[in-house]
Amino acid sequence: MARPRKNKRSSQQVGRLAVAGDGFRAWSRHHGYSFFSSLGELIRRPVSAGMTVVVLGLALTLPLGLFLVVGQISQLTQGIDRFNGLSVFLETSVTEDEAIRLSSELSTWSEILAVDPISPAEGLTEALGHLGVAGTGFGPEDNPLPWVLEVSPAMEANLEALSKRLMEETAIEQVIVDLAWLARLDLLIHLGERVVYVVGVLLMLAFLFVIAHSIRMEVHHRRHQIEVMALVGATPAFIRRPFLYSGFWFGVSAAILALVFVVLAGWGVSAPLRGLADSYQISLALNAPSVSASLGLILGMGCLGILGAWVAVSQQLSGAWPRD
Amino acid sequence: MIQFDRVAKQYPGTGLALSDVSFTLERGQMAFLTGHSGAGKSTLLKLIALLERPTRGQVLFDGRNVAKLSTRHVPYLRRQIGVIFQDHRLLSDQRVFDNVALPLVIAGVSYTEIKRRVRAALDKVGLLEKERLYPHMLSGGEQQRVGIARAIIAKPAVLLADEPTGNLDPELSAQLMQFFVNLNELGVTVLVASHDVDLIARLNQPVWVLKEGQLTHG
């Protein structure tokens, strides 16, 4: 063993180091250390880290996929041309003149915005078109349809009261408020969205606890290392930081994996989905989330990972400091 | 530098490890602490480094009562103390270089500075060519020297050693003790616990004896 040089140093000089690295540069060096040491830990144990990431990724894929499907369907229904009004069927005996006169009279009502009269002939053409049997040779004299007035109510109008008032007109046979099925569809979509949120929240919790559990195991695994670090003067923050980074890496890589899974799932169902959509003459596809949504997801899951790690580490580290 | 005033330490469920210990170790002083195993040598060192808190009495470090030190400040106290353990306490999954560098990494020293000082410290303990090895590839004596390099790398004001010669041969033990004496000559306050009475006697330094939880100055 070599002998240290024998120049006598003042005792003040000794121990000066404790403050030598303070400030922002020391802080950034600490972060650099945590950044690389946490990555190193994950790479050193690729199988267990990989399995955790896959479990997390799968837990994220389900709510993410559901969210995209529901979003797609709700967008689709918004595209449906909504006639947001009342269909007023007149008596079959009503003539064209009477129908036009009634229609202009109704349009003066304060609760009505506009009235659009549809002649029996127009109605028949439209109906046959819908049924896919256009041009089957119905003549005007065979037309069983009455005149119909499509009434757009004013915004503030009470539809029920308006339809009652309309029924009092002798020429009007029936008033149909044609919104029920759309309203039901809206409710269904709303329910679907709720289900996605509930499933999402539950799986987020699972996500949080899987990360917390993994970090807990890691802290346990590195108990000795933590004790040694505390012994040579590491602060709790310094010891905690690499684990928080690990949580962040878990979250980020799980989010990326979930995005990959969703895109693959989208490809998997694209052919039958396109077939279905074509048969309804609509466009429907399971689109990948946008770039900004993906980045948001990745960052959000990273933060969730930090939170999970924090919970696990704070609860485990107390043993490294003196017992009273 | 270090002052014990009627210190007692009792572990739950056992008798008193230390019953009534008072001493003062001045800044830049060196002393050996001896006594048969179980006499409380390790406990005394642990109280200084705040690995334990005293049950009774006061431990002053640089004039401050360490018992009143909040947990938040404990790390900064420990950075002023280098501790050498009989069981080395090295990180088995990190290379010799990283083990020695740990106190500097914790202090936030730049990498170039760390590299320079770790090399210097390893050179001092004669392990420069082993910096890339892992602790389990080294002999017991070499592991002990890695622990020593780690303890002195941050130039602590105080060096504590708990049975540092525990499993070294007599020649290496003598070299190691002389190394501590030389460090002390550089201004470091040194307290070494050892039961190697013959070796200690040759070094011409104060020897304190712990017996039944009490300290007598030899």
Side-chain angles (χ1 to χ4, degrees):
Chain A
M1 189 171 300
R3 290 160 64 96
R5 281 178 299 136
K6 275 210 172 186
N7 56 336
K8 189 117 184 167
R9 235 180 275 175
S10 85
S11 50
Q12 274 81 11
Q13 259 185 307
V14 188
R16 195 183 41 165
L17 188 99
V19 290
D22 280 2
F24 176 74
R25 286 198 336 184
W27 180 84
S28 56
R29 280 184 202 124
H30 282 159
H31 272 275
Y33 167 81
S34 309
F35 183 93
F36 289 112
S37 80
S38 61
L39 267 184
E41 278 303 322
L42 294 186
I43 292 164
R44 224 173 294 175
R45 294 180 298 109
V47 176
S48 78
M51 274 173 14
T52 303
V53 168
V54 170
V55 168
L56 292 171
L58 287 173
L60 265 187
T61 305
L62 184 61
L64 184 62
L66 279 175
F67 181 77
L68 291 174
V69 169
V70 170
Q72 189 68 36
I73 292 176
S74 92
Q75 233 173 32
L76 198 68
T77 59
Q78 271 156 21
I80 292 174
D81 185 18
R82 291 173 183 231
F83 171 59
N84 200 13
L86 310 171
S87 299
V88 176
F89 290 77
L90 307 185
E91 301 284 353
T92 36
S93 56
V94 172
T95 64
E96 181 170 356
D97 283 349
E98 286 165 335
I100 301 294
R101 204 177 315 121
L102 182 59
S103 113
S104 39
E105 187 196 321
L106 291 184
S107 60
T108 64
W109 289 12
S110 64
E111 60 266 59
I112 288 172
L113 201 63
V115 182
D116 183 17
I118 296 168
S119 72
E122 284 171 320
L124 183 66
T125 317
E126 200 178 309
L128 293 178
H130 270 304
L131 292 172
V133 290
T136 44
F138 274 103
E141 56 286 346
D142 306 319
N143 190 344
L145 297 178
W147 273 83
V148 178
L149 307 181
E150 289 201 333
V151 172
S152 305
M155 289 293 269
E156 66 281 1
N158 176 338
L159 287 184
E160 214 172 318
L162 178 59
S163 84
K164 253 186 203 151
R165 188 174 167 200
L166 285 168
M167 284 301 287
E168 283 162 17
E169 293 286 323
T170 48
I172 292 175
E173 202 213 342
Q174 202 182 0
V175 177
I176 292 177
V177 184
D178 198 17
L179 289 172
W181 77 273
L182 264 181
R184 267 185 225 122
L185 183 62
D186 276 349
L187 286 173
L188 268 176
I189 289 170
H190 190 60
L191 176 68
E193 281 169 353
R194 265 305 153 78
V195 168
V196 170
Y197 287 134
V198 170
V199 171
V201 166
L202 287 176
L203 286 168
M204 285 304 125
L205 279 175
F207 188 88
L208 200 67
F209 280 98
V210 170
I211 287 188
H213 179 71
S214 304
I215 299 293
R216 224 181 99 89
M217 297 304 288
E218 181 135 351
V219 171
H220 193 73
H221 181 71
R222 286 159 65 184
R223 171 116 278 178
H224 171 70
Q225 186 177 353
I226 289 169
E227 276 170 19
V228 171
M229 281 162 71
L231 215 60
V232 297
T235 58
F238 181 85
I239 291 175
R240 196 188 294 126
R241 214 174 282 126
F243 294 108
L244 300 187
Y245 269 98
S246 295
F248 181 75
W249 295 130
F250 276 139
V252 164
S253 35
I256 292 172
L257 193 65
L259 288 169
V260 171
F261 282 159
V262 164
V263 169
L264 290 179
W267 281 346
V269 300
S270 69
L273 195 64
R274 201 177 313 116
L276 182 72
D278 284 349
S279 77
Y280 281 95
Q281 292 165 347
I282 52 175
S283 91
L284 186 60
L286 191 62
N287 293 325
S290 67
V291 173
S292 61
S294 305
L295 286 179
L297 180 79
I298 291 169
L299 210 65
M301 292 307 109
C303 292
L304 209 58
I306 294 177
L307 182 67
W310 185 285
V311 170
V313 177
S314 303
Q315 184 242 338
Q316 288 258 300
L317 281 193
S318 48
W321 280 271
R323 293 168 290 273
D324 288 308
Chain B
M1 188 83 211
I2 298 168
Q3 193 180 346
F4 272 48
D5 186 17
R6 313 211 62 173
V7 171
K9 174 67 190 179
Q10 180 165 26
Y11 293 104
T14 60
L16 285 173
L18 298 177
S19 60
D20 186 3
V21 172
S22 300
F23 69 84
T24 303
L25 189 64
E26 300 293 348
R27 188 182 280 277
Q29 200 192 338
M30 177 170 190
F32 286 100
L33 186 63
T34 185
H36 60 81
S37 63
K41 300 192 293 286
S42 298
T43 302
L44 195 151
L45 295 185
K46 281 180 180 168
L47 287 169
I48 298 172
L50 260 187
L51 298 175
E52 302 286 353
R53 288 186 191 269
T55 313
R56 255 200 329 271
Q58 283 193 343
V59 176
L60 300 179
F61 186 93
D62 220 0
R64 291 168 74 188
N65 184 352
V66 300
K68 295 223 170 80
L69 209 60
S70 70
T71 306
R72 198 160 58 86
H73 289 108
V74 169
Y76 300 98
L77 173 98
R78 287 185 184 164
R79 287 181 200 182
Q80 297 182 57
I81 304 174
V83 189
I84 296 161
F85 298 92
Q86 190 177 359
D87 59 355
H88 323 315
R89 303 270 182 110
L90 301 178
L91 302 179
S92 54
D93 61 346
Q94 303 209 359
R95 296 173 197 280
V96 166
F97 181 95
D98 297 310
N99 265 286
V100 176
L102 190 59
L104 298 183
V105 172
I106 287 168
V109 176
S110 74
Y111 185 65
T112 42
E113 175 80 359
I114 288 177
K115 216 151 84 176
R116 191 180 66 72
R117 288 173 59 175
V118 170
R119 296 258 160 83
L122 283 174
D123 193 28
K124 214 178 268 183
V125 297
L127 285 175
L128 189 51
E129 74 285 4
K130 309 225 162 158
E131 62 170 18
R132 298 196 57 76
L133 299 184
Y134 289 93
H136 66 87
M137 302 168 174
L138 305 177
S139 70
E142 287 171 331
Q143 290 187 25
Q144 183 64 287
R145 278 141 69 193
V146 175
I148 292 166
R150 184 182 67 191
I152 60 171
I153 185 95
K155 300 194 179 109
V158 175
L159 188 73
L160 306 176
D162 189 6
E163 299 286 359
T165 59
N167 37 23
L168 301 183
D169 60 49
E171 195 192 344
L172 272 175
S173 298
Q175 274 183 25
L176 181 57
M177 289 302 190
Q178 189 56 50
F179 182 77
F180 290 141
V181 172
N182 294 339
L183 270 179
N184 174 244
E185 285 168 357
L186 293 178
V188 182
T189 309
V190 180
L191 184 58
V192 180
S194 172
H195 61 263
D196 197 343
V197 187
D198 299 337
L199 176 58
I200 293 169
R202 296 204 299 269
L203 290 166
N204 222 5
Q205 299 286 346
V207 176
W208 300 342
V209 183
L210 259 182
K211 201 172 178 186
E212 287 162 4
Q214 303 209 345
L215 195 69
T216 53
H217 295 252

